[in-house]
Short mmCIF file of all heavy atoms in Angstrom, two decimals:
data_model
loop_
_atom_site.label_atom_id
_atom_site.label_comp_id
_atom_site.label_asym_id
_atom_site.label_seq_id
_atom_site.Cartn_x
_atom_site.Cartn_y
_atom_site.Cartn_z
N SER A 179 156.76 111.86 111.92
CA SER A 179 158.02 111.43 111.32
C SER A 179 157.77 110.71 109.99
O SER A 179 156.67 110.21 109.73
CB SER A 179 158.67 110.29 112.20
OG SER A 179 159.03 110.81 113.60
N CYS A 180 158.82 110.86 109.19
CA CYS A 180 158.66 110.25 107.77
C CYS A 180 159.96 109.69 107.38
O CYS A 180 160.98 110.49 107.35
CB CYS A 180 158.20 111.29 106.65
SG CYS A 180 158.30 110.69 105.04
N GLY A 181 160.09 108.40 107.25
CA GLY A 181 161.39 107.79 106.73
C GLY A 181 161.30 107.14 105.50
O GLY A 181 160.18 106.56 105.07
N ALA A 182 162.24 107.37 104.67
CA ALA A 182 162.40 106.81 103.25
C ALA A 182 163.16 105.54 103.34
O ALA A 182 164.19 105.35 104.00
CB ALA A 182 163.00 107.84 102.39
N SER A 183 162.68 104.55 102.54
CA SER A 183 163.41 103.31 102.41
C SER A 183 163.37 102.99 100.92
O SER A 183 162.83 103.63 100.07
CB SER A 183 162.76 102.19 103.14
OG SER A 183 161.50 101.92 102.55
N GLY A 184 164.34 102.02 100.51
CA GLY A 184 164.47 101.65 99.13
C GLY A 184 165.61 102.38 98.42
O GLY A 184 166.51 102.97 99.15
N THR A 185 165.67 102.46 97.16
CA THR A 185 166.74 102.95 96.45
C THR A 185 166.61 104.45 96.16
O THR A 185 165.77 104.77 95.34
CB THR A 185 166.96 102.20 95.01
OG1 THR A 185 167.23 100.85 95.36
CG2 THR A 185 168.28 102.80 94.30
N ILE A 186 167.06 105.23 97.11
CA ILE A 186 166.95 106.53 97.00
C ILE A 186 168.18 107.32 97.38
O ILE A 186 168.90 107.06 98.39
CB ILE A 186 165.66 107.17 97.93
CG1 ILE A 186 165.60 108.61 97.65
CG2 ILE A 186 165.95 106.77 99.26
CD1 ILE A 186 164.21 109.18 98.28
N PHE A 187 168.72 108.19 96.60
CA PHE A 187 170.00 109.07 96.76
C PHE A 187 169.76 110.47 96.46
O PHE A 187 168.73 110.88 95.89
CB PHE A 187 171.18 108.44 95.78
CG PHE A 187 171.29 106.92 96.05
CD1 PHE A 187 170.73 106.10 95.18
CD2 PHE A 187 172.19 106.58 97.14
CE1 PHE A 187 171.04 104.64 95.39
CE2 PHE A 187 172.36 105.17 97.28
CZ PHE A 187 171.75 104.19 96.37
N SER A 188 170.76 111.23 96.89
CA SER A 188 170.80 112.70 96.65
C SER A 188 169.40 113.36 97.03
O SER A 188 168.87 114.03 96.25
CB SER A 188 171.18 112.93 95.22
OG SER A 188 172.28 112.39 94.82
N ILE A 189 169.02 113.10 98.16
CA ILE A 189 167.78 113.78 98.72
C ILE A 189 167.89 115.25 98.89
O ILE A 189 168.89 115.73 99.50
CB ILE A 189 167.31 113.12 100.13
CG1 ILE A 189 166.95 111.65 99.70
CG2 ILE A 189 166.10 113.87 100.60
CD1 ILE A 189 166.66 110.87 101.17
N ASP A 190 167.13 116.04 98.37
CA ASP A 190 167.21 117.47 98.44
C ASP A 190 165.99 117.89 99.43
O ASP A 190 166.29 118.08 100.49
CB ASP A 190 167.14 118.08 97.06
CG ASP A 190 167.14 119.58 97.11
OD1 ASP A 190 167.69 120.16 98.25
OD2 ASP A 190 166.85 120.28 96.16
N VAL A 191 164.82 118.08 98.77
CA VAL A 191 163.81 118.60 99.53
C VAL A 191 163.11 117.46 100.43
O VAL A 191 162.88 116.35 99.84
CB VAL A 191 162.68 119.27 98.66
CG1 VAL A 191 161.44 119.59 99.51
CG2 VAL A 191 163.39 120.43 97.87
N MET A 192 162.84 117.73 101.57
CA MET A 192 161.96 116.86 102.43
C MET A 192 160.94 117.75 102.98
O MET A 192 161.33 118.84 103.63
CB MET A 192 162.85 116.25 103.52
CG MET A 192 163.95 115.30 103.05
SD MET A 192 164.88 114.55 104.21
CE MET A 192 163.76 113.08 104.63
N ALA A 193 159.68 117.51 102.84
CA ALA A 193 158.56 118.50 103.23
C ALA A 193 157.35 117.82 103.88
O ALA A 193 157.23 116.60 103.59
CB ALA A 193 158.18 119.29 102.08
N TRP A 194 156.56 118.59 104.42
CA TRP A 194 155.34 118.15 104.93
C TRP A 194 154.20 118.92 104.28
O TRP A 194 154.24 120.23 104.19
CB TRP A 194 155.23 118.25 106.40
CG TRP A 194 156.00 117.17 107.23
CD1 TRP A 194 157.22 117.27 107.63
CD2 TRP A 194 155.65 115.91 107.47
NE1 TRP A 194 157.69 116.25 108.36
CE2 TRP A 194 156.72 115.33 108.29
CE3 TRP A 194 154.45 115.15 107.17
CZ2 TRP A 194 156.64 113.94 108.55
CZ3 TRP A 194 154.33 113.80 107.64
CH2 TRP A 194 155.51 113.19 108.32
N TYR A 195 153.18 118.31 103.95
CA TYR A 195 151.92 118.89 103.30
C TYR A 195 150.73 118.38 104.17
O TYR A 195 150.79 117.40 104.84
CB TYR A 195 151.71 118.48 101.96
CG TYR A 195 152.65 119.21 100.90
CD1 TYR A 195 153.94 118.84 100.85
CD2 TYR A 195 152.15 120.22 100.21
CE1 TYR A 195 154.84 119.38 99.88
CE2 TYR A 195 153.06 120.83 99.24
CZ TYR A 195 154.39 120.40 99.10
OH TYR A 195 155.14 120.92 98.20
N ARG A 196 149.61 119.17 104.10
CA ARG A 196 148.35 118.72 104.85
C ARG A 196 147.21 118.90 103.75
O ARG A 196 147.29 119.77 102.94
CB ARG A 196 148.10 119.37 106.07
CG ARG A 196 147.78 120.89 106.02
CD ARG A 196 147.60 121.43 107.37
NE ARG A 196 147.09 122.76 107.34
CZ ARG A 196 147.46 123.76 108.21
NH1 ARG A 196 148.33 123.38 109.21
NH2 ARG A 196 146.99 124.97 108.10
N GLN A 197 146.25 118.05 103.98
CA GLN A 197 145.09 118.09 103.02
C GLN A 197 143.77 117.69 103.62
O GLN A 197 143.72 116.64 104.28
CB GLN A 197 145.36 117.27 101.72
CG GLN A 197 144.34 117.31 100.67
CD GLN A 197 144.67 116.49 99.50
OE1 GLN A 197 145.31 115.54 99.45
NE2 GLN A 197 144.20 117.09 98.26
N ALA A 198 142.81 118.46 103.52
CA ALA A 198 141.53 118.23 104.10
C ALA A 198 140.72 117.69 102.95
O ALA A 198 140.89 117.92 101.78
CB ALA A 198 140.79 119.46 104.68
N PRO A 199 139.62 116.85 103.21
CA PRO A 199 138.76 116.29 102.17
C PRO A 199 138.26 117.27 101.21
O PRO A 199 137.71 118.30 101.65
CB PRO A 199 137.69 115.54 102.82
CG PRO A 199 138.33 115.25 104.15
CD PRO A 199 139.21 116.30 104.50
N GLY A 200 138.39 117.09 99.90
CA GLY A 200 137.90 118.05 98.91
C GLY A 200 138.59 119.35 98.82
O GLY A 200 138.17 120.27 98.21
N LYS A 201 139.81 119.51 99.44
CA LYS A 201 140.55 120.77 99.33
C LYS A 201 141.97 120.44 98.83
O LYS A 201 142.39 119.30 98.69
CB LYS A 201 140.54 121.44 100.78
CG LYS A 201 139.12 121.82 101.33
CD LYS A 201 139.39 122.58 102.57
CE LYS A 201 138.01 122.97 103.16
NZ LYS A 201 138.18 123.79 104.47
N GLN A 202 142.66 121.55 98.52
CA GLN A 202 143.93 121.43 97.92
C GLN A 202 144.97 121.07 99.06
O GLN A 202 144.83 121.38 100.28
CB GLN A 202 144.43 122.85 97.46
CG GLN A 202 143.61 123.30 96.17
CD GLN A 202 144.26 124.67 95.63
OE1 GLN A 202 144.91 125.46 96.35
NE2 GLN A 202 143.97 124.73 94.40
N ARG A 203 145.92 120.38 98.62
CA ARG A 203 147.08 119.92 99.43
C ARG A 203 147.98 121.20 99.60
O ARG A 203 148.38 121.84 98.69
CB ARG A 203 147.85 118.72 98.91
CG ARG A 203 148.93 118.21 99.79
CD ARG A 203 149.42 116.94 99.21
NE ARG A 203 148.47 115.82 99.19
CZ ARG A 203 148.63 114.64 98.66
NH1 ARG A 203 149.89 114.34 98.42
NH2 ARG A 203 147.71 113.73 98.67
N LYS A 204 148.25 121.51 100.87
CA LYS A 204 148.91 122.68 101.14
C LYS A 204 150.23 122.32 101.79
O LYS A 204 150.37 121.50 102.78
CB LYS A 204 148.11 123.60 102.18
CG LYS A 204 146.85 124.12 101.54
CD LYS A 204 146.04 124.90 102.66
CE LYS A 204 144.80 125.40 102.09
NZ LYS A 204 143.98 126.19 103.02
N LEU A 205 151.36 123.18 101.60
CA LEU A 205 152.63 123.04 102.14
C LEU A 205 152.68 123.47 103.51
O LEU A 205 152.20 124.62 103.81
CB LEU A 205 153.61 123.73 101.23
CG LEU A 205 155.15 123.77 101.80
CD1 LEU A 205 155.77 122.27 101.76
CD2 LEU A 205 155.97 124.79 100.91
N VAL A 206 153.10 122.72 104.50
CA VAL A 206 153.24 123.08 105.98
C VAL A 206 154.69 123.54 106.19
O VAL A 206 154.88 124.57 106.79
CB VAL A 206 152.84 121.93 106.81
CG1 VAL A 206 153.02 122.42 108.29
CG2 VAL A 206 151.41 121.46 106.54
#
């Protein structure tokens, strides 16, 4: 789960990425 707080409006993209040490962050 990922929840946003603070002043944020007009949310478009919500996404998950993963990253192993020393490697590129990849879109899941």
Side-chain angles (χ1 to χ4, degrees):
S179 300
C180 172
S183 63
T185 304
I186 185 168
F187 303 98
S188 301
I189 295 175
D190 183 17
V191 176
M192 304 182 78
W194 287 98
Y195 289 73
R196 69 184 187 212
Q197 186 173 30
K201 296 185 178 180
Q202 293 182 337
R203 189 170 296 184
K204 299 179 180 179
L205 177 64
V206 179

